[in-house]
Amino acid sequence: LVVMGEDQEALVERQRTLEQDPFWPEMSVEMANLLERQKRYDEAIAAFRHAVELDPQSENDFHWSLGDVYGRKGMFKEHIKEWVDALRGRGQQERADKMAQLYAAKGYMAALNFFLETAVQRRLARQSRGEYVDPLGIADLYVRLGNRKQAFVYLNRAYHHRSYGLTFFLQENSSLAGE
């Protein structure tokens, strides 16, 4: 339903599913993602928090998405805090500390760009070691950095690799479709 642009119908179906099984964290995450797409940020935040309550072991994974919602809502301090917490949860203490220091000293964009640039570097390093790295993730980072040329290089690779989330990514970044 979401792929076909039927977000409202998809939301109703997810609500029905959660009524039948309110203890399914993955469905709470699906609901949160859909609410975020509809710019219903407060409800998305609540759904992500509910997922964390249901599955505390996955809390680290939810920090990324919750941070994105905060960023879209303009709650930049909370955005950075969630991503710093996610980095710490992954054992990247030094990177987390640097991001927090940049936010305190130079503000939101400095901290965000540091994160995005180091994320690109880390993924490209993994790729150079022969590990598979989904090109869609790299494209997303380049879009966020404003580097459209590199974003298109990796979107092309994502297309050829048949990256699962490509349709959703293009829907969310519709300004890229006209180029």
Side-chain angles (χ1 to χ4, degrees):
L1 292 171
V2 174
V3 173
M4 297 183 321
E6 301 293 336
D7 287 358
Q8 195 55 41
E9 192 174 336
L11 185 61
V12 169
E13 289 300 317
R14 283 174 173 78
Q15 286 170 330
R16 273 193 209 130
T17 303
L18 282 172
E19 286 169 9
Q20 293 174 359
D21 186 357
F23 302 107
W24 188 5
E26 292 84 3
M27 186 53 62
S28 290
V29 169
E30 289 294 320
M31 178 71 96
N33 288 328
L34 187 52
L35 290 165
E36 180 184 6
R37 280 176 42 91
Q38 295 180 346
K39 297 181 175 42
R40 295 167 61 179
Y41 300 129
D42 291 329
E43 294 169 86
I45 290 167
F48 276 124
R49 292 203 180 282
H50 180 67
V52 169
E53 290 171 14
L54 295 175
D55 187 7
Q57 284 78 21
S58 296
E59 177 180 14
N60 187 53
D61 295 333
F62 301 141
H63 283 298
W64 301 112
S65 298
L66 189 52
D68 271 341
V69 176
Y70 282 133
R72 287 189 175 93
K73 191 175 178 198
M75 298 173 69
F76 303 128
K77 180 180 179 181
E78 292 81 357
H79 182 190
I80 297 301
K81 181 192 178 311
E82 291 297 330
W83 281 14
V84 164
D85 289 347
L87 289 171
R88 288 191 174 121
R90 289 191 174 178
Q92 297 178 30
Q93 187 67 39
E94 191 174 309
R95 191 170 168 215
D97 290 345
K98 175 78 174 175
M99 189 172 175
Q101 290 167 356
L102 278 169
Y103 178 73
K106 296 184 179 181
Y108 176 71
M109 289 308 297
L112 183 63
N113 284 334
F114 166 78
F115 171 82
L116 296 171
E117 289 165 1
T118 57
V120 167
Q121 292 166 1
R122 293 170 62 83
R123 289 179 189 200
L124 293 177
R126 286 181 23 224
Q127 200 174 46
S128 72
R129 291 191 302 267
E131 295 178 39
Y132 176 76
V133 177
D134 186 358
L136 185 59
I138 298 173
D140 179 47
L141 293 169
Y142 279 125
V143 166
R144 292 175 187 232
L145 283 166
N147 187 335
R148 295 169 74 84
K149 182 177 179 182
Q150 283 300 106
F152 281 116
V153 167
Y154 283 92
L155 283 171
N156 187 45
R157 291 180 188 174
Y159 172 78
H160 289 289
H161 285 248
R162 297 187 174 143
S163 293
Y164 170 74
L166 186 58
T167 303
F168 300 109
F169 180 84
L170 292 174
Q171 285 176 340
E172 292 175 8
N173 295 280
S174 59
S175 65
L176 296 172
E179 296 185 26

